Amino acid sequence: MTDHTVITEVDDALGKKLSREAREMLGLVALAQDKAGKARALIVRRLMDIALLPESQLMPQERQLVDQMLAQLIGHIEVDLRARLAARLADRADAPQEVIVTLANDVIAVAQPLLERSRALADSDLVTIIAANGHDHWVAAARRAELSSSVTDALIATCDPEALMQIAGNEKALFSSKGYEKIVALSESQPELCAPLLGRRDLTPSLAHTMFWWASSRLRLEIVNRFTTDRRLLREALTDALDDGLEAFSGDPDLLRTLKLMVPQRRYGPSIGEDLISAARATDLRKVVVLISQLAQIAPLTAAHIVMDQGGEALAVASKALGLTRKEYLQFALLVASHRSGPSRNAAEVNRLTGLFDSVATDRADVVLRYWDDAVDARRKIRDEVQVAASQDVAA
């Protein structure tokens, strides 16, 4: 096929005269039959020059033709030349779509600049690229300045620690509700995620209190102090709604759950501390779990989490919510700890936990119990769903 024949066929297809730049480019097509690297490099360099021309200098049909030719040749040129092309296209919002998608699926040396900053890659492109590739591509995509919820969903599904750390610390990364729940759940096995997640402004109190159970002592204190609103402020904001009665909101479970946080703190009576201390003197902790569950009106599973928590912060908060005095709390906490295996608490740990007991307001501590009850129940439901899904997969 001669150069003249190629140009004539394209002219007929477009139905109009091609620009001088496009005609010069098409004159190189015959060189594509040459397998020598220099010939292919010459074609690509010239195509790159034309592809990077401003929008106004190429007709849409011509730009489409250039894009198609580049896409066809990319697989036949050297990695270093593909990398140079990707670097040149990474900052172009009008970069040729077919070309950049091909390059973004290339080896990471080629794909990285496009994945990290190309605005020409659509969210759907990124989701597809993430699904088709591995760790290096995931991390590069996670480094983008802004990420939609569909892209973060795809990244969260990879469970890749480095990619998750990137998006957790990116305030401009948007999360869907399901995506947020999953990355918070993953922070249990990847505790390094806790700090960046807790630093996000869009993290809900419910999700923050879910992380309480595996967060460090420092972060636990932050969760209790930062993510627990004073119930009185909430009641003042929604007095009219509460006056209508909680039953009026039975059709909206999420709103009903939130409104229940604003119900005045329960008054437990003067003998609760003595009852708990007496139960803790028993031969095991089951009676303590049952008693806390009944007194605080929380699920037995939540009460078990509080009693068996190794850090001790949960018991300090629960004791404050139940109205124990400082002296009662110390006696109760030491008795509970004595039932566990391992070394006893040293003076520094006792002082730290007592400081938490002293610092949290009784009203706030009671709200924390409600959050924990919700969080433990939500985790149980998620685990049940996972087990059902796994059993269905096995059956299939």
Side-chain angles (χ1 to χ4, degrees):
M1 181 181 294
T2 66
D3 294 358
H4 176 74
T5 303
V6 171
I7 294 173
T8 300
E9 288 180 358
V10 175
D11 270 333
D12 291 341
L14 296 179
K16 55 185 67 179
K17 186 179 179 181
L18 294 174
S19 65
R20 180 176 60 83
E21 289 85 356
R23 290 181 66 84
E24 290 178 1
M25 175 271 296
L26 290 171
L28 297 171
V29 171
L31 290 174
Q33 308 304 317
D34 182 354
K35 302 301 181 183
K38 289 183 179 180
R40 292 194 299 270
L42 177 60
I43 296 170
V44 174
R45 287 194 188 96
R46 189 68 184 105
L47 287 172
M48 285 167 56
D49 291 339
I50 297 172
L52 293 171
L53 286 172
E55 286 270 3
S56 60
Q57 293 189 29
L58 276 182
M59 296 168 58
Q61 300 95 326
E62 296 167 356
R63 185 171 293 278
Q64 184 179 15
L65 180 61
V66 173
D67 295 352
Q68 290 173 350
M69 292 182 65
L70 269 175
Q72 290 170 7
L73 287 170
I74 281 172
H76 302 286
I77 62 176
E78 293 78 4
V79 171
D80 61 339
L81 194 56
R82 300 201 303 272
R84 287 171 57 194
L85 176 59
R88 290 182 66 179
L89 294 175
D91 297 314
R92 290 288 298 263
D94 60 343
Q97 190 70 17
E98 189 175 353
V99 174
I100 61 168
V101 169
T102 301
L103 292 172
N105 279 288
D106 208 325
V107 295
I108 194 60
V110 176
Q112 185 168 339
L114 291 167
L115 292 173
E116 289 184 355
R117 62 180 193 270
S118 175
R119 291 173 292 158
L121 285 173
D123 289 343
S124 57
D125 296 326
L126 290 166
V127 170
T128 302
I129 291 165
I130 291 165
N133 291 279
H135 168 78
D136 290 337
H137 287 70
W138 300 338
V139 173
R143 291 192 184 118
R144 294 175 72 86
E146 297 181 8
L147 291 164
S148 71
S149 59
S150 62
V151 178
T152 58
D153 278 349
L155 289 168
I156 291 168
T158 70
C159 301
D160 183 84
E162 191 175 350
L164 294 184
M165 281 294 289
Q166 288 286 341
I167 62 175
N170 182 353
E171 278 289 344
K172 292 186 177 181
L174 303 178
F175 294 155
S176 68
S177 57
K178 287 292 184 184
Y180 232 145
E181 289 173 3
K182 184 167 183 180
I183 194 171
V184 165
L186 287 170
S187 71
E188 182 173 9
S189 58
Q190 300 179 35
E192 65 276 6
L193 286 170
C194 291
L197 286 173
L198 288 169
R200 296 183 63 86
R201 288 175 290 182
D202 57 354
L203 184 72
T204 65
S206 178
L207 290 174
H209 284 283
T210 298
M211 283 190 286
F212 176 91
W213 299 104
W214 52 81
S216 66
S217 295
R218 178 183 64 81
L219 293 178
R220 283 182 162 196
L221 183 60
E222 180 181 344
I223 291 169
V224 170
N225 289 330
R226 256 189 66 208
F227 292 91
T228 310
T229 306
D230 191 317
R231 187 189 278 113
R232 288 171 298 177
L233 297 177
L234 296 174
R235 283 184 60 80
E236 289 172 6
L238 290 173
T239 298
D240 293 340
L242 288 170
D243 286 344
D244 290 337
L246 295 180
E247 64 277 2
F249 304 94
S250 59
D252 189 338
D254 290 334
L255 179 57
L256 181 63
R257 188 161 51 246
T258 301
L259 290 174
K260 283 181 178 178
L261 296 173
M262 302 173 215
V263 173
Q265 181 200 355
R266 297 161 179 77
R267 302 303 174 190
Y268 299 101
S271 62
I272 281 183
E274 294 176 7
D275 291 342
L276 287 169
I277 290 169
S278 176
R281 288 197 179 102
T283 56
D284 60 47
L285 296 176
R286 281 176 291 185
K287 187 175 180 180
V288 175
V289 169
V290 171
L291 192 55
I292 289 178
S293 173
Q294 293 172 346
L295 292 171
Q297 297 180 31
I298 57 178
L301 184 58
T302 307
H305 272 71
I306 290 169
V307 173
M308 301 311 296
D309 174 55
Q310 292 294 321
E313 292 87 356
L315 193 65
V317 173
S319 297
K320 192 61 172 280
L322 290 168
L324 273 65
T325 65
R326 191 173 194 268
K327 182 178 179 180
E328 287 173 335
Y329 159 66
L330 280 171
Q331 187 176 358
F332 176 52
L334 290 172
L335 283 169
V336 169
S338 69
H339 288 280
R340 297 200 199 95
S341 59
S344 59
R345 300 201 187 283
N346 57 38
E349 289 176 319
V350 172
N351 289 336
R352 175 178 60 80
L353 294 172
T354 306
L356 173 58
F357 176 87
D358 291 338
S359 67
V360 63
T362 304
D363 187 67
R364 284 176 178 257
D366 191 60
V367 172
V368 172
L369 291 189
R370 311 305 138 205
Y371 277 126
W372 288 349
D373 209 26
D374 265 357
V376 171
D377 184 55
R379 287 178 67 200
R380 179 189 58 78
K381 289 179 180 177
I382 290 172
R383 286 174 177 172
D384 288 347
E385 290 173 2
V386 170
Q387 289 176 355
V388 170
S391 63
Q392 290 174 343
D393 289 342
V394 171

